[in-house]
């Protein structure tokens, strides 16, 4: 008899190349030749310039196109090896016993209960506590960097509600484990149990809302001596920037049980010690405190970082991550630092007018990175190996005390005096002094975009990462629904990534050696995205001001070969490939149009002002603080957003530059068309009229906000007057020069 062959092990995941890879490589070669031809044309024009004005215009165009070429090269690096992965968690369940599942420590960060509603934090915490994962293996740590008693109260209420919510989820197995999302969905089960739990949840929301409106936790809301003791720490001397460490164990898996008698996950509230004399790093500092506190209390080998408004949308998400962390190949496991899920958002309007889905940043580019060394850390929805925070795969950096070692086995109860004492010690404001925390260990300091910097350092140390992009969103969060919130957020990101780009570990210097050219260029695309502001601003003003003065700076239509057609190919080729990427990833034509519109808006606003702030800080002329993006929603604003109407409403320098560009392009378009009708000469001004017309189409929401609207979201009168005045000034200057 023939011996039976052993069946191959069931796959936990697969990977395949994207179908557009070959096209991307061929197109990149052709487009690169076209860019070289354009630069050659600029150089020839520069050499044969007959006047200072023509020389200056050509030089500005050359600089702008060099930056566009640089950013295009960076973008191509993520188009060379894009991959798509698939996971098989059902196979994982066949090879892992309950005790084999690694522990999971979940870190959730919040900072301000008035900008980040506590009910969102509650939903995020409950959604991860209800994972399809052994409850005794899950510990949820909430960092409250605002040190607010209101946040602690909301979590106490969440802990009480969890004793009912978790059994409900265990019994009914809903996909939506966030109560808010579940009760809004059409998939909720209609039963007496559902009505009962819904009433409990509405009571919870009402209670948290009342406490938030009062601004304090009154005695009527406090239950038991333990809660009194906790809230007594908020004395008159307790301020946002000066307070002691507060660590409160709200649920202990070894002690607390739900209403059915089953164990519950650990839930721990943490606010780190702060003093007015100490230096604070916002999110990175809070996460490092959670790393140390969690090490002293549970020290799970897997760490999930979550934003407070980014709830879990799939209860099997940890299993998807384990498909990689439990890979049978030790060579893969030993170098895998983290598994990143895309950030995706609910409540985005039909055509995503503000491009808040960040489809390119959170979905398209990470798939390209995944074919190299893996995606960069996106700040939320990321499962880390705890080991990754302590040096490279072959260079473990031992922490200063053995209890913080990534493989240290915690053998003391969660609420033992020694565990709590150590947790308070490592959360103190001066603990990191004379240590490697923030430089060689943990989340990295030195940038407002600490997530980007941390992921970059991990790749430089030799770690790899995985992009896990399931069809059902693993996490869903809140996106800005006003333009000013969007631009303020992006301005902070711009400042942060520029800090990375100009540090001693810049991707284009240190990164090339540490990660390889393609990976370094991919990082450089994000690091230097502020440089988009130079070509965008140039093409938003220079051709139009020249057109207003009847100066023609581009080739005539009759120059069919090669220069006019070259410009046409470069424009259509870049936009065509961008459109293809967007549509192949599931985007619509209208959402792509809005995405490219917002790219222009960012170039004229947050990229510009973020660069200015970075420069002023580098020169020591200003400082920059971390501002939390508001997650609160106004009904009137929300209604306009759903209707696809842009929200301005407040005066901002960023709206001034945007309005100036809109005015210049509209006036130049009208002037150009009038001149063509008058003189019959379309050949020379054609490209300038085309650019102005394209800009006018993009600026339609601005014209609407200036002239037609009467609601509170219209363009402020002050912004309009300042913009008109400055537009007249630059026109007069341009007329004098040209």
């Amino acid at each position: 008899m023939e011996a039976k062959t052993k069946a191959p092990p069931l796959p936990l995941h697969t990977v395949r190349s994207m179908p557009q890879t070959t096209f991307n490589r061929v197109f990149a070669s052709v487009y690169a030749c076209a860019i070289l031809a354009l630069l050659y044309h600029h150089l020839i024009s520069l050499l044969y310039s007959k006047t200072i004005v023509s020389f200056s215009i050509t030089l500005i165009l050359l600089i702008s196109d060099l930056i566009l070429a640089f950013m295009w090269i960076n973008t191509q690096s993520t188009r060379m090896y894009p991959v798509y992965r698939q996971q098989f968690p059902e196979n994982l369940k066949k090879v892992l016993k309950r005790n084999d599942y690694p522990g999971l420590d979940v870190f959730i960060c919040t900072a301000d209960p008035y900008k980040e509603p506590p009910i969102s934090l509650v939903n995020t915490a409950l959604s991860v506590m209800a994972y399809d994962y052994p409850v005794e293996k899950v510990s949820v740590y909430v960092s409250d960097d605002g040190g607010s008693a209101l946040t602690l109260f909301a979590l106490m209420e969440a802990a009480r509600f969890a004793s009912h919510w978790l059994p409900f989820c265990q019994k009914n197995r809903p996909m939506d484990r966030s109560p808010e999302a579940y009760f809004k969905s059409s998939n909720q089960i209609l039963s007496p149990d559902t009505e009962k739990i819904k009433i409990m949840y509405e009571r919870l929301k009402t209670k948290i809302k009342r406490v938030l409106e009062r601004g304090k936790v009154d005695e009527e809301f406090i239950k038991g001596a333990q809660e009194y003791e906790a809230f007594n720490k908020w004395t008159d001397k307790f301020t946002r920037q000066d307070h002691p460490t507060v660590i409160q164990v709200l649920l202990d898996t070894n002690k607390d049980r739900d209403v059915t008698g089953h164990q519950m996950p650990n839930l721990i509230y943490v606010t780190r010690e702060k003093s007015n004399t100490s230096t604070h790093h916002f999110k990175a500092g809070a996460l490092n405190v959670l790393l140390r506190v969690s090490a002293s209390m549970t020290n799970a080998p897997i760490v999930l970082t979550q934003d407070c408004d980014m709830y879990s949308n799939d209860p099997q998400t940890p299993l998807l991550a384990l498909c990689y962390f439990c890979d049978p190949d030790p060579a893969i496991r030993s170098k895998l630092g983290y598994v990143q899920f895309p950030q995706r958002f609910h409540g985005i309007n039909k055509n995503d007018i503000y491009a808040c889905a960040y489809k390119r940043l959170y979905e398209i580019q990470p798939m390209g990175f995944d074919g190299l060394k893996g995606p960069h850390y996106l700040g939320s929805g990321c499962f880390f190996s705890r080991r990754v925070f302590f040096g490279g795969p072959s260079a473990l950096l031992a922490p200063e005390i053995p209890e913080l070692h990534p493989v240290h086995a915690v053998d003391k109860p969660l609420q033992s005096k020694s565990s709590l004492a150590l947790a308070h010690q490592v959360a103190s404001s001066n603990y990191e002094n004379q240590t490697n925390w923030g430089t060689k260990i943990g989340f990295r300091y030195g940038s407002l975009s600490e997530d980007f910097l941390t992921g970059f350092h991990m790749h430089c140390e030799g770690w790899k990462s995985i992009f896990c992009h399931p069809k059902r969103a693993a996490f869903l969060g809140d996106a800005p629904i006003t333009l000013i919130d969007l631009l303020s957020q992006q301005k902070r990101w711009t400042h942060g990534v520029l800090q990375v780009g100009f540090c001693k570990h810049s991707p284009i210097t240190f990164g090339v050696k540490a990660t390889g050219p393609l990976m370094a260029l991919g990082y450089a695309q994000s690091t230097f995205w502020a440089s988009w502001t130079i070509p965008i601003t140039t093409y938003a003003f220079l051709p139009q001001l020249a057109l207003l003065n009847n100066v023609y700076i581009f080739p005539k239509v009759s120059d069919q070969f090669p220069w006019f057609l070259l410009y046409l190919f470069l424009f259509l080729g870049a936009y065509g490939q961008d459109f293809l990427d967007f549509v192949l990833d599931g985007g619509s034509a209208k959402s792509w149009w809005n995405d490219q519109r917002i790219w222009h808006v960012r170039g004229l606003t947050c990229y510009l002002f973020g660069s200015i702030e970075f420069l002023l800080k580098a020169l020591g002329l200003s400082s920059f603080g971390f501002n939390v993006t508001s997650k609160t929603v106004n009904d009137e604003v929300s209604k306009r957003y759903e209707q696809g109407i842009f929200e301005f409403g407040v005066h901002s320098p960023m709206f001034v530059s945007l309005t100036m560009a809109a005015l210049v392009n509209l006036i130049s378009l009208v002037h150009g068309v009038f001149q063509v009708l008058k003189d019959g000469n379309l050949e020379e001004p054609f490209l300038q009229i085309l650019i102005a017309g394209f800009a006018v189409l993009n600026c339609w929401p601005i014209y609407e906000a200036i002239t037609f609207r009467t609601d509170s979201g219209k363009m402020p009168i002050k912004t309009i007057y300042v913009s008109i005045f400055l537009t007249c000034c630059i026109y007069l200057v341009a007329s004098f020069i040209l």
Side-chain angles (χ1 to χ4, degrees):
M1 293 180 64
E2 294 183 4
K4 293 183 178 179
T5 57
K6 188 176 180 181
L10 296 172
L12 297 181
H13 59 87
T14 58
V15 59
R16 61 178 173 82
S17 298
M18 301 294 284
Q20 64 267 35
T21 302
T22 302
F23 168 79
N24 286 344
R25 295 174 183 176
V26 172
F27 182 79
S29 301
V30 175
Y31 201 84
C33 293
I35 290 175
L36 290 174
L38 177 66
L39 298 178
Y40 169 78
H41 174 66
H42 282 321
L43 288 172
I44 294 299
S45 300
L46 204 62
L47 291 173
Y48 290 95
S49 296
K50 297 179 180 179
T51 65
I52 295 177
V53 171
S54 62
F55 180 89
S56 301
I57 290 175
T58 304
L59 182 61
I60 293 171
L61 291 175
L62 174 60
I63 293 170
S64 298
D65 289 344
L66 279 171
I67 293 172
L68 287 173
F70 171 69
M71 295 303 288
W72 177 83
I73 292 170
N74 294 342
T75 303
Q76 296 314 301
S77 65
T78 59
R79 286 176 168 149
M80 295 298 101
Y81 299 95
V83 297
Y84 176 75
R85 299 180 184 272
Q86 188 174 2
Q87 306 77 38
F88 305 98
E90 64 276 8
N91 294 341
L92 184 73
K93 294 178 180 179
K94 295 175 183 177
V95 297
L96 282 184
K97 296 180 181 179
R98 189 179 184 92
N99 289 334
D100 294 331
Y101 284 83
L104 173 63
D105 285 347
V106 182
F107 296 169
I108 304 174
C109 292
T110 188
D112 188 333
Y114 291 100
K115 289 186 177 181
E116 299 174 322
I119 195 62
S120 294
L121 170 64
V122 166
N123 275 279
T124 298
L126 289 169
S127 68
V128 295
M129 291 167 68
Y131 272 146
D132 287 341
Y133 205 81
V135 291
E136 70 276 10
K137 301 278 188 175
V138 177
S139 300
V140 178
Y141 293 84
V142 177
S143 169
D144 175 18
D145 221 47
S148 173
L150 309 180
T151 301
L152 175 57
F153 173 78
L155 286 172
M156 285 179 172
E157 292 300 311
R160 278 190 274 269
F161 180 70
S163 65
H164 299 271
W165 177 247
L166 299 187
F168 176 83
C169 292
Q170 188 66 28
K171 177 183 177 182
N172 297 291
R173 317 298 295 175
M175 288 297 288
D176 296 306
R177 303 288 169 94
S178 156
E180 189 73 21
Y182 177 74
F183 293 124
K184 284 184 177 179
S185 74
S186 57
N187 298 322
Q188 60 176 294
I189 300 167
L190 299 178
S191 69
D193 283 347
T194 303
E195 286 300 313
K196 181 180 177 182
I197 200 83
K198 185 176 183 180
I199 291 171
M200 293 177 63
Y201 177 65
E202 292 299 326
R203 288 175 180 168
L204 176 147
K205 287 175 64 177
T206 301
K207 191 180 293 187
I208 292 175
K209 183 179 178 181
R210 286 171 60 191
V211 168
L212 197 63
E213 288 172 348
R214 295 184 185 185
K216 62 178 181 178
V217 184
D218 293 327
E219 289 189 7
E220 64 180 286
F221 296 111
I222 301 176
K223 299 179 181 179
Q226 189 175 6
E227 291 189 10
Y228 267 107
E229 184 181 352
F231 288 115
N232 282 339
K233 295 172 184 175
W234 273 265
T235 64
D236 293 338
K237 295 182 179 180
F238 194 113
T239 67
R240 182 184 177 88
Q241 292 298 333
D242 192 358
H243 59 254
T245 297
V246 178
I247 298 175
Q248 192 72 25
V249 178
L250 304 177
L251 288 175
D252 185 338
T253 192
N254 292 321
K255 295 181 178 180
D256 294 299
R257 297 292 183 270
D258 62 32
V259 292
T260 62
H262 292 94
Q263 286 179 291
M264 300 177 71
N266 295 316
L267 177 61
I268 302 101
Y269 168 89
V270 179
T271 183
R272 55 182 170 147
E273 180 188 20
K274 287 186 178 181
S275 67
N276 290 323
T277 59
S278 61
T279 301
H280 303 296
H281 307 272
F282 174 68
K283 192 173 178 181
L287 286 169
N288 279 336
V289 167
L290 289 186
L291 264 177
R292 298 193 295 268
V293 169
S294 65
S296 68
M297 302 180 84
T298 51
N299 208 32
I302 306 295
V303 170
L304 166 63
T305 60
Q306 274 298 91
D307 281 342
C308 64
D309 64 327
M310 190 71 67
Y311 68 83
S312 175
N313 188 54
D314 186 345
Q316 292 211 343
T317 297
L319 303 181
L320 299 179
L322 283 192
C323 286
Y324 299 102
F325 284 117
C326 295
D327 191 286
D329 186 350
I332 294 177
R333 290 200 313 271
S334 63
K335 290 192 174 182
L336 178 56
Y338 59 87
V339 177
Q340 176 69 65
F341 288 79
Q343 290 196 31
R344 294 165 73 177
F345 304 92
H346 62 87
I348 292 177
N349 63 6
K350 184 179 178 182
N351 295 315
D352 192 11
I353 58 170
Y354 298 140
C356 286
Y358 296 110
K359 204 166 189 64
R360 193 167 291 100
L361 177 65
Y362 289 153
E363 297 182 44
I364 298 172
Q365 287 180 357
M367 286 192 287
F369 273 112
D370 206 11
L372 302 172
K373 289 183 178 291
H376 54 75
Y377 171 38
L378 298 176
S380 185
C382 189
F383 289 82
F384 290 94
S385 163
R386 186 178 286 267
R387 168 67 181 81
V388 78
F389 296 107
F390 297 88
S394 57
L396 173 64
L397 297 176
E400 55 286 346
I401 56 176
E403 289 86 353
L404 301 184
H405 197 285
V407 296
H408 171 71
V410 178
D411 56 0
K412 297 175 182 177
L414 193 69
Q415 299 188 68
S416 66
K417 289 186 178 180
S418 57
S419 289
L420 290 174
L422 179 58
H424 279 79
Q425 175 190 341
V426 298
S428 63
S429 61
N430 60 358
Y431 179 81
E432 293 181 356
N433 294 345
Q434 309 303 317
T435 71
N436 288 323
W437 285 93
T439 55
K440 297 180 180 180
I441 294 178
F443 295 86
R444 304 307 172 93
Y445 303 147
S447 169
L448 291 171
S449 298
E450 72 292 313
D451 45 4
F452 182 84
L453 180 61
T454 297
F456 174 62
H457 273 285
M458 289 175 177
H459 282 131
C460 289
E461 290 169 348
W463 293 103
K464 293 186 177 181
S465 57
I466 294 291
F467 185 58
C468 189
H469 189 10
K471 290 182 179 179
R472 180 180 173 89
F475 303 95
L476 286 174
D478 294 324
I481 65 169
T482 67
L483 188 57
I484 191 63
D485 281 343
L486 171 77
L487 298 181
S488 297
Q489 182 187 63
Q490 290 259 318
K491 185 174 69 171
R492 188 185 77 232
W493 292 355
T494 298
H495 190 149
V497 294
L498 280 173
Q499 289 174 313
V500 179
F502 288 96
C503 71
K504 65 178 181 179
H505 293 128
S506 174
I508 58 174
T509 53
F510 178 80
V512 171
K513 299 176 183 178
T515 66
L518 287 179
M519 194 71 182
L521 288 173
Y523 266 106
Q525 198 277 332
S526 296
T527 305
F528 296 103
W529 66 14
S531 63
W532 287 120
T533 193
I534 295 174
I536 290 175
T537 303
T538 296
Y539 282 102
F541 286 96
L542 181 59
Q544 295 78 355
L545 291 171
L547 183 60
L548 283 171
N549 290 277
N550 299 321
V551 175
Y552 308 120
I553 63 177
F554 295 119
K556 295 188 294 185
V557 175
S558 58
D559 295 337
Q560 291 185 0
F561 185 81
W563 308 125
F564 174 76
L565 292 180
L566 178 65
Y567 271 92
L568 208 58
F569 170 74
L570 288 169
F571 177 82
L572 296 177
Y575 271 86
Q577 187 179 30
D578 189 71
F579 176 77
L580 184 65
D581 283 345
F582 207 87
V583 171
L584 287 177
D585 198 58
S588 66
K590 286 186 177 180
S591 59
W592 170 80
W593 176 266
N594 287 323
D595 186 88
Q596 66 82 30
R597 188 211 313 266
I598 291 297
W599 174 67
H600 286 97
V601 170
R602 292 198 297 259
L604 293 165
T605 56
C606 53
Y607 291 169
L608 174 62
F609 286 89
S611 301
I612 293 171
E613 286 190 351
F614 169 76
L615 180 61
L616 290 176
K617 184 175 181 183
L619 295 173
L621 299 177
S622 73
S623 60
F624 188 93
F626 187 101
N627 294 316
V628 179
T629 304
S630 177
K631 309 298 193 310
T632 57
V633 178
N634 176 285
D635 290 340
E636 187 180 341
V637 172
S638 182
K639 182 179 179 181
R640 286 195 291 269
Y641 176 71
E642 286 300 319
Q643 294 172 344
I645 300 173
F646 271 61
E647 188 72 25
F648 296 96
V650 297
H651 174 70
S652 168
M654 290 192 285
F655 290 163
V656 171
S657 59
L658 189 60
T659 305
M660 287 172 62
L663 294 174
V664 167
N665 278 273
L666 180 61
I667 296 167
S668 67
L669 177 63
V670 173
H671 173 81
V673 171
F674 177 78
Q675 284 297 115
V676 169
L677 294 175
K678 178 183 176 183
D679 303 333
N681 175 24
L682 181 61
E683 283 201 351
E684 288 183 305
F686 178 76
L687 280 176
Q688 283 162 265
I689 291 174
L690 182 67
I691 292 171
F694 183 71
V696 166
L697 285 175
N698 274 313
C699 290
W700 173 251
I702 302 169
Y703 305 133
E704 187 181 44
I706 292 173
T707 56
F708 303 129
R709 289 170 55 182
T710 57
D711 55 74
S712 60
K714 66 180 181 179
M715 189 70 74
I717 296 296
K718 181 180 178 181
T719 304
I720 297 172
Y721 286 159
V722 172
S723 301
I724 292 173
F725 173 74
L726 292 177
T727 300
C728 292
C729 289
I730 65 168
Y731 170 72
L732 291 173
V733 172
S735 298
F736 176 77
I737 294 173
L738 297 173

